[in-house]
Amino acid sequence: MEKEAFLEHLSSGLPVVGGSSAHQYMHRASQRALRITAQINTGYHEPEELRALFSELIGKPVDDSFGLFPPFHTDCGMNITVGKNVFINMGCKFQDQGGIFIGDGSLIGHNVVLATLNHDMHPDERATMLPAPIRIGRNVWIGSNATVLPGVTIGDGAVVAAGAVVTEDVPANTVVGGVPARVMRTVVH
């Protein structure tokens, strides 16, 4: 399996069966991601160097307005898309096999986890992984230590409170918080 076929398989929502060619490719891709994130996380890098390393990791250029404070961790890397003026703070962990899409102007706080894979619930099929994308709209703010689970879409202008666990879609221009996250109020313009 090659990169394009792998990404197509993931974006189709088909399961990744343990031991399959997609699963084997996923393991090879993780080694690449671990190598590049080790470079990102070792020593000091000027912002331009970090953008170049992150671009290498995701396989496409990022805008000059993109900002990243390491450390940053991912076990895939090649299924992340970021818009302009996106900032990712320290300690974030992206499990991006299912796809992570971050819109323009969004801010990702310290230690945020974006997880796009679930395992099959049946014990005999537990090695099977189920990818689902996370879509983050424009001008979203995700607070420190929040976790966003597979298949969630966060609407434009929304705020995810620190420590929230987001299990369902978040409407635009709302503030969500708690475990599981629930709408707390609307964002005042």
Side-chain angles (χ1 to χ4, degrees):
M1 179 170 278
E2 297 299 320
K3 177 182 175 182
E4 294 309 314
F6 174 66
L7 292 174
E8 186 176 314
H9 181 94
L10 294 173
S11 67
S12 73
L14 292 172
V16 177
V17 177
S20 68
S21 61
H23 189 238
Q24 291 170 11
Y25 186 89
M26 187 182 294
H27 278 284
R28 289 192 304 276
S30 68
Q31 295 308 302
R32 175 188 165 278
L34 292 172
R35 177 183 53 78
I36 297 170
T37 56
Q39 291 177 288
I40 288 171
N41 297 332
T42 304
Y44 173 76
H45 300 284
E46 293 289 335
E48 303 80 31
E49 294 174 279
L50 283 173
R51 282 191 293 275
L53 286 166
F54 197 83
S55 293
E56 179 184 353
L57 176 67
I58 69 172
K60 53 194 141 217
V62 294
D63 190 77
D64 287 345
S65 62
F66 172 76
L68 171 69
F69 283 0
F72 174 81
H73 301 279
T74 183
D75 56 357
C76 183
M78 63 181 65
N79 210 2
I80 299 170
T81 302
V82 296
K84 295 179 180 179
N85 297 304
V86 168
F87 176 69
I88 300 171
N89 217 325
M90 291 186 268
C92 290
K93 296 172 180 69
F94 288 13
Q95 180 194 50
D96 62 284
Q97 288 88 343
I100 293 173
F101 305 90
I102 304 173
D104 294 348
S106 288
L107 308 173
I108 312 298
H110 289 88
N111 302 314
V112 166
V113 173
L114 303 179
T116 66
L117 285 179
N118 272 322
H119 287 273
D120 195 292
M121 291 302 291
H122 192 279
D124 294 340
E125 301 298 325
R126 196 60 45 89
T128 295
M129 291 163 278
L130 309 168
I134 292 173
R135 299 182 188 284
I136 299 168
R138 298 169 55 104
N139 301 311
V140 170
W141 174 24
I142 301 180
S144 297
N145 297 302
T147 299
V148 181
L149 297 182
V152 168
T153 295
I154 300 174
D156 294 346
V159 176
V160 175
V165 177
V166 184
T167 61
E168 298 177 352
D169 290 353
V170 176
N173 300 309
T174 61
V175 177
V176 299
V179 180
R182 298 285 182 241
V183 174
M184 300 168 71
R185 65 178 188 264
T186 59
V187 175
V188 178
H189 289 283

